[in-house]
């Protein structure tokens, strides 16, 4: 079978993909049926049996894991919803594709008009594309889908949390696929993106349904009923409190509500996969499951600490069964999803420029080799500027081996808090306890959370909670400088406009391009 040729160029700690298509027609390998189902959860973490949480019942994700490689070191490239979804669908970090903050509402951040996104490239390669659920990216011409049921034309609760509605929409998409094949025409491959809204919080937007929308569709008065959902309930004393969440009765109740929503997500995943099987596409479809960013608790989402960027990731290939059910320790990123799908469907990445200077290069890699044998990948990068429009706090990070380095560019500012987290029971309890000088049950103080050092270096092996900053320790100066150099190279490679901050101004037409400010930083 002819496959996609992949040429590797050296980049800091990773590789750059140049995708070369061989012996294909319209972007699809001749004689090979291949499709893609991408499932992205919303603010999901490791609250599943797959990742050793024995409390939450997630049999459908467990079943998918038995047909997948289970990645233990998967990371988001940004810990914010729209920016992360843009990295998933472009393979470019948020500072390169332009989606600096959230897409919805009056501020509606967008990717640059010239970005060649995954759905755009697939559409141009004559591959049928569909999206069901939370889109949260724009503009439309950059992210086109042939079949779309999202918050742009539907209720996000219905297309993102109503698992019966999601099931029926998946069936509608796959029925269209089968109808085209029965018609005697060319059977086009498909890319279906199912973006659940679970287990995102909803206390800020739909508080009547509970902190995590755990009451939505449960059959109680005024909540409606989702026919396919069998609600699973948990008590506060059952839950496993992550190290980065305050261990208090309020937080435990909050996590119990989150677990109920995770169970609905799991049942929804099961329904989607059953539709794929019933339609006869299971054995020709690459299935990828992950989430967009960390869980919505303090030190989680919007942070580039491990608790904010570590993600679940399952990759199931019907052509790579030898490693089904095995775990991989390789470092992988959500930036790898676009290169992986392009590789699977044999679609080349085009040569183009966003800046008018250097050609765009994917710094992610195809994950397909990891489905055959264990790779030695050990580096992941992340980049964040905003979440909500008022939350400007640019950060860059590199995680290589046991060490994670964070660069807090505007470190003299207090770290911002998003509206969704602010009204949550957990954060309100943390605020109240701090103001009353009562024990918070947390592993740091609010002041330590708000005010950070410019450089933070952690040994995640000996200090998995990332409590001891080694950046000022002379014993780690060589490690610090090596990681700073790698991070800077990645920023230049990805044309990061913040590459000179906070010490200098970027002047692209001058040499050197970083012009000093002499601002004592």
């Amino acid at each position: 079978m002819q496959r996609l040729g992949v040429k590797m160029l050296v980049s800091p700690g990773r590789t750059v993909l140049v995708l070369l298509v061989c012996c294909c027609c319209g972007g699809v390998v001749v004689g090979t049926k291949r499709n893609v189902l991408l499932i992205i959860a919303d603010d999901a973490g490791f609250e599943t049996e797959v990742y050793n949480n024995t409390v939450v019942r997630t049999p459908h994700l467990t079943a998918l894991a038995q047909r997948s490689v289970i990645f233990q070191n998967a990371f988001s490239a940004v810990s914010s919803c729209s920016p992360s979804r843009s990295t998933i669908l472009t393979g470019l970090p948020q500072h390169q594709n332009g989606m600096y903050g959230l897409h919805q509402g009056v501020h509606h951040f967008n990717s640059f008009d010239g970005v060649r996104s995954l759905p755009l490239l697939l559409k141009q390669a004559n591959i049928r594309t569909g999206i069901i659920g939370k889109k949260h990216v724009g503009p439309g011409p950059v992210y086109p889908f042939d079949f779309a049921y999202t918050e742009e034309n539907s209720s996000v609760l219905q297309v993102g949390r109503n698992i019966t509605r999601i099931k029926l929409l998946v069936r509608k998409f796959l029925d269209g696929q089968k109808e085209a094949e029965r018609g005697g025409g060319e059977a086009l491959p498909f890319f279906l993106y199912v973006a659940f809204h679970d287990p995102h919080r909803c206390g800020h937007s739909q508080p009547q349904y509970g902190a995590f929308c755990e009451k939505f569709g449960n059959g109680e008065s005024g909540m409606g009923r989702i026919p396919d959902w069998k609600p699973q309930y948990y008590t506060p004393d059952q839950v496993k409190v992550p190290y980065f969440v305050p261990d208090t009765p309020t937080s435990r109740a909050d996590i119990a509500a989150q677990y109920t929503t995770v169970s609905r997500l799991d049942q929804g995943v099961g329904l989607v996969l059953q539709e794929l099987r019933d339609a006869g596409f299971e054995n020709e479809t690459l299935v990828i499951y992950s989430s967009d960013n960390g869980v919505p608790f303090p030190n989680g989402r919007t942070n580039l600490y491990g608790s904010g960027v570590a993600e679940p990731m399952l990759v199931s290939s019907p052509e790579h069964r030898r490693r089904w059910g095995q775990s991989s320790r390789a470092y992988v990123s959500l930036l790898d999803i676009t290169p992986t799908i392009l590789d699977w469907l044999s679609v080349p990445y085009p040569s183009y420029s966003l800046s008018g200077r250097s050609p765009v290069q994917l710094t992610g890699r195809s994950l397909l080799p990891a489905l055959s044998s264990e790779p030695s990948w050990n580096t992941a990068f992340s980049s964040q500027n905003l979440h909500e429009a008022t939350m400007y706090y640019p950060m860059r990070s590199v995680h290589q081996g046991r060490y994670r380095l964070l660069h807090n560019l505007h470190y003299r500012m207090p770290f911002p808090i998003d509206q969704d987290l602010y009204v949550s029971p957990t954060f309100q309890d943390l605020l109240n306890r701090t103001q009353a000088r009562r024990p918070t049950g947390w592993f740091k103080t609010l002041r330590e959370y708000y005010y950070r050092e410019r450089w933070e270096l952690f040994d995640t092996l000996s200090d998995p909670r990332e409590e001891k900053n080694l950046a000022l320790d002379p014993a780690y100066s060589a490690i610090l400088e090596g990681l700073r150099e790698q991070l800077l190279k990645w920023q230049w490679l990805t044309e990061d406009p913040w590459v000179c901050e906070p010490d200098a101004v970027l002047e692209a037409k001058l040499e050197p391009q970083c012009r000093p400010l002499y601002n004592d930083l």
Side-chain angles (χ1 to χ4, degrees):
M1 177 178 64
Q2 298 291 340
R3 289 297 311 279
L4 180 69
V6 181
K7 181 180 179 182
M8 297 297 189
L9 303 180
V10 176
S11 79
R14 290 175 65 83
T15 52
V16 178
L17 281 175
V18 177
L19 301 172
L20 306 172
V21 68
C22 305
C23 300
C24 66
C25 179
V28 182
V29 175
V30 174
T32 301
K33 278 191 172 184
R34 284 186 171 178
N35 310 301
V36 177
L37 171 62
L38 173 62
I39 303 174
I40 297 295
D42 200 354
D43 292 1
F46 299 95
E47 298 77 25
T48 69
E49 294 167 296
V50 176
Y51 289 95
N52 298 321
N53 186 317
T54 56
V55 178
V56 187
R57 293 180 286 277
T58 54
H60 302 288
L61 284 170
T62 299
L64 176 59
Q66 292 168 352
R67 294 173 51 91
S68 304
V69 172
I70 305 159
F71 288 95
Q72 302 289 345
N73 291 300
F75 303 99
S76 175
V78 54
S79 193
S80 174
C81 183
S82 296
S84 182
R85 289 163 194 270
S86 74
T87 69
I88 291 169
L89 292 178
T90 66
L92 306 177
Q94 56 85 25
H95 64 249
Q96 187 175 20
N97 77 58
M99 184 71 72
Y100 302 143
L102 297 182
H103 175 65
Q104 85 279 10
V106 65
H107 301 111
H108 63 276
F109 287 93
N110 281 302
S111 292
F112 300 133
D113 291 342
V115 168
R116 308 287 183 88
S117 74
L118 176 65
L120 179 63
L121 295 177
L122 298 185
K123 186 178 181 69
Q124 292 171 346
N126 205 27
I127 293 169
R128 184 168 174 251
T129 60
I131 179 172
I132 298 166
K134 186 174 180 179
K135 186 179 182 184
H136 217 210
V137 292
V142 171
Y143 298 98
F145 287 89
D146 300 314
F147 178 100
Y149 287 84
T150 72
E151 74 277 8
E152 295 180 353
N153 57 15
S154 307
S155 160
V156 72
L157 293 178
Q158 293 300 325
V159 297
R161 298 191 195 262
N162 183 339
I163 60 176
T164 296
R165 174 70 170 152
I166 294 167
K167 174 191 75 173
L168 294 175
L169 288 172
V170 170
R171 184 179 301 173
K172 182 176 182 179
F173 177 85
L174 296 178
D175 282 349
Q177 191 74 16
K178 291 190 294 183
E179 185 63 32
E181 293 186 4
R182 282 195 297 266
E186 181 184 359
L188 300 179
F190 68 77
F191 165 65
L192 178 59
Y193 173 30
V194 179
F196 286 91
H197 195 20
D198 283 335
H200 194 286
R201 287 188 180 276
C202 72
H204 175 64
S205 55
Q206 295 103 5
Q208 68 273 24
Y209 294 124
F212 281 89
C213 271
E214 71 277 7
K215 299 177 184 178
F216 174 70
N218 68 0
E220 295 178 2
S221 177
M223 297 296 105
R225 182 175 176 273
I226 300 173
D228 287 292
W229 183 33
K230 298 175 179 60
Q232 304 284 328
Y233 298 107
Y234 305 87
T235 61
D237 63 309
Q238 285 182 289
V239 305
K240 288 188 173 184
V241 181
Y243 72 87
F244 56 90
V245 176
D247 192 349
T248 65
T250 299
S251 295
R252 284 178 166 271
D254 212 11
I255 295 170
Q258 178 201 29
Y259 281 10
T260 293
T261 313
V262 169
S263 293
R264 182 170 61 208
L265 164 70
D266 176 74
Q267 292 177 38
V269 169
L271 293 172
V272 170
L273 295 177
Q274 187 61 51
E275 291 298 320
L276 189 72
R277 282 190 290 272
D278 292 345
F281 294 115
E282 181 180 49
N283 290 324
E284 57 196 53
T285 301
L286 180 74
V287 179
I288 301 174
Y289 168 81
S290 190
S291 181
D292 54 350
N293 46 245
V295 294
F297 285 92
N299 222 74
R301 186 187 63 194
T302 76
N303 288 271
L304 295 190
Y305 297 125
S307 48
V309 296
E311 302 297 340
M313 184 178 284
L314 309 176
V315 181
S316 175
S317 164
E319 298 178 18
H320 301 81
R321 301 185 180 218
R322 190 178 65 82
R323 294 202 72 194
W324 277 8
Q326 294 184 19
S327 289
S328 171
R329 306 298 301 181
Y331 284 30
V332 300
S333 166
L334 298 189
L335 290 172
D336 299 331
I337 289 179
T338 282
T340 300
I341 293 173
L342 292 177
D343 190 0
W344 176 258
L345 295 171
S346 296
V347 176
Y349 194 73
S351 176
Y352 73 104
S353 175
L354 290 170
S355 64
R357 298 186 299 274
S358 303
V360 172
Q361 295 180 331
L362 296 177
T363 55
R365 55 165 66 87
S366 171
L367 298 179
L368 296 188
L371 306 185
S372 298
S373 60
E374 181 71 1
S376 58
W377 307 332
N378 72 339
T379 307
F381 296 92
S382 297
S383 159
Q384 181 143 338
N385 291 327
L386 303 112
H387 183 63
E388 295 164 358
T390 56
M391 294 178 62
Y392 184 61
Y393 196 87
M395 301 173 285
R396 303 294 183 265
S397 75
V398 55
H399 186 183
Q400 185 170 73
R402 63 192 292 171
Y403 296 103
R404 174 177 283 109
L405 177 68
L406 293 95
H407 187 193
N408 301 309
L409 279 66
H410 290 196
Y411 64 100
R412 290 186 175 179
M413 298 168 55
F415 188 81
I417 305 298
D418 65 274
Q419 295 173 326
D420 193 43
L421 176 64
Y422 183 81
V423 301
S424 71
T426 294
F427 193 76
Q428 284 297 304
D429 185 51
L430 179 58
L431 281 176
N432 293 336
R433 287 171 175 268
T434 299
Q435 288 299 99
R437 301 184 184 278
R438 296 167 53 207
T440 63
W442 204 25
F443 77 131
K444 60 176 68 173
T445 67
L446 265 180
R447 181 169 182 80
E448 289 170 337
Y449 186 64
Y450 291 148
Y451 295 99
R452 309 176 180 192
E453 298 295 330
R454 175 174 174 179
W455 294 98
E456 295 182 281
L457 175 65
F458 300 106
D459 182 341
T460 62
L461 186 62
S462 64
D463 178 26
R465 292 156 59 110
E466 297 178 322
E467 294 182 276
K468 184 178 181 181
N469 183 8
L470 304 173
L472 297 179
D473 188 334
Y476 292 88
S477 60
I479 292 170
L480 174 66
E481 289 308 310
L483 291 174
R484 284 174 61 171
E485 181 180 340
Q486 289 220 45
L487 183 57
L488 194 62
K489 285 181 179 179
W490 180 71
Q491 289 183 261
W492 282 114
L493 183 63
T494 55
E495 298 189 294
D496 186 352
W498 283 263
V499 67
C500 300
E501 290 200 19
D503 313 275
V505 172
L506 175 62
E507 293 287 355
K509 296 182 180 180
L510 300 179
E511 192 62 40
Q513 295 183 44
C514 289
R515 313 303 292 185
L517 288 168
Y518 306 109
N519 56 11
D520 297 327
L521 295 179

